[in-house]
Amino acid sequence: MSSIKNYIDDFLHLFFPHNCAACSTDIINTGDILCAECLSSLPETGFFLHGNNPIENMFYGRMKIEKAGSAFYFTKDSVIQNIIIQLKYKNNIAAGKFLGKLLGRQLAACNRFDDIDIIIPMPLNEKKLFKRGYNQSAVIADGIVSVWSKPVITNAVERILFTETQTHKTRIDRWQTMENVFEVSQPEMLAGKHILLVDDIVTTGATFEACGQAILKMPGTSLSLASVACTI
């Protein structure tokens, strides 16, 4: 049976080739996003396993969070950067779900996050959502729950203001830009819940903080954070 499957995979790869989302090699198994070499090179942080990790410490004195972490380190011209670019700017939904699965496996393997009630992907403003066609954080959340059984809510928090890209802004500018950007539109969905807010990458934490502060205004809520990558 396995030999037949291998034959079918080889046949499909011959007529419908696909490439690694990071390095573009076609030496890759059917259904995979990364080749074996790129997958093995991903720089895991190990943050989810430990309290007082750099992501949790980032928010000390800024916002009350229960737990936080990032799955991988983000560096320029890295595999992680390439695959996030594929997700955000090249319509590669499969790449986002793959990143979500990698993140979800780390969360599932770590009992520190077992008490999460719901997952909220970082909301995207309607203008940017229309332009891109999808919310990359929601795609990542879909990948997470394919390997870690938690409900996802996408309509309880809204990004009510459009903001330009934060890439080249200073830390102070990012905080000022994100002020009053988010609003909870369905408070009854969040009340009394431990919420995991999910995003693709954390740099200064300004976006997490702005959205998280809006969520924490709801009665009885507690908040944890998770991202695919971090620039620390």
Side-chain angles (χ1 to χ4, degrees):
M1 184 67 70
S2 60
S3 61
I4 295 176
K5 182 180 182 302
N6 290 339
Y7 176 80
I8 293 174
D9 287 346
D10 290 342
F11 178 83
L12 291 174
H13 187 74
L14 178 63
F15 289 96
F16 303 99
H18 70 288
N19 302 88
C20 173
C23 71
S24 298
T25 181
D26 63 354
I27 305 174
I28 180 174
N29 293 327
T30 301
D32 286 351
I33 296 300
L34 292 180
C35 66
E37 184 175 352
C38 286
L39 184 59
S40 66
S41 72
L42 294 179
E44 292 190 14
T45 65
F47 289 167
F48 291 114
L49 296 170
H50 308 288
N52 297 316
N53 64 64
I55 303 301
E56 293 185 4
N57 291 338
M58 175 186 290
F59 295 94
Y60 181 79
R62 293 168 53 181
M63 178 173 66
K64 179 175 171 50
I65 59 172
E66 304 303 313
K67 294 163 278 255
S70 293
F72 304 102
Y73 293 105
F74 180 97
T75 55
K76 188 177 180 180
D77 298 325
S78 65
V79 170
I80 283 292
Q81 182 187 38
N82 288 340
I83 197 169
I84 287 177
I85 287 173
Q86 289 280 327
L87 166 62
K88 294 179 72 171
Y89 305 113
K90 297 187 178 181
N91 300 313
N92 194 334
I93 302 296
K97 290 184 178 180
F98 176 76
L99 289 174
K101 285 182 179 180
L102 296 181
L103 176 55
R105 286 169 184 154
Q106 290 193 26
L107 290 165
C110 171
N111 58 17
R112 295 181 66 234
F113 289 79
D114 286 351
D115 61 346
I116 293 294
D117 295 310
I118 57 175
I119 295 173
I120 293 183
M122 185 67 68
L124 200 62
N125 180 262
E126 288 185 358
K127 181 178 178 181
K128 192 168 288 187
L129 182 61
F130 178 79
K131 181 178 180 180
R132 183 171 293 162
Y134 56 91
N135 179 350
Q136 73 273 8
S137 295
V139 173
I140 290 168
D142 286 343
I144 291 173
V145 299
S146 70
V147 295
W148 192 47
S149 182
K150 298 287 181 179
V152 176
I153 294 179
T154 60
N155 61 344
V157 185
E158 297 181 7
R159 192 166 184 152
I160 57 176
L161 298 178
F162 175 79
T163 56
E164 299 293 344
T165 180
Q166 306 291 297
T167 304
H168 303 295
K169 292 186 177 181
T170 66
R171 183 184 299 267
I172 299 299
D173 287 341
R174 289 180 189 227
W175 289 342
Q176 293 174 341
T177 300
M178 298 308 299
E179 188 174 4
N180 300 318
V181 165
F182 297 95
E183 179 179 86
V184 175
S185 55
Q186 303 284 345
E188 69 280 1
M189 292 184 176
L190 307 186
K193 303 293 186 182
H194 183 183
I195 296 154
L196 181 68
L197 184 60
V198 170
D199 206 359
D200 55 352
I201 184 170
V202 57
T203 302
T204 66
T207 306
F208 264 138
E209 183 177 2
C211 188
Q213 293 287 16
I215 290 171
L216 287 172
K217 291 178 182 177
M218 301 304 103
T221 54
S222 55
L223 183 69
S224 291
L225 311 172
S227 70
V228 170
C230 65
T231 58
I232 296 173

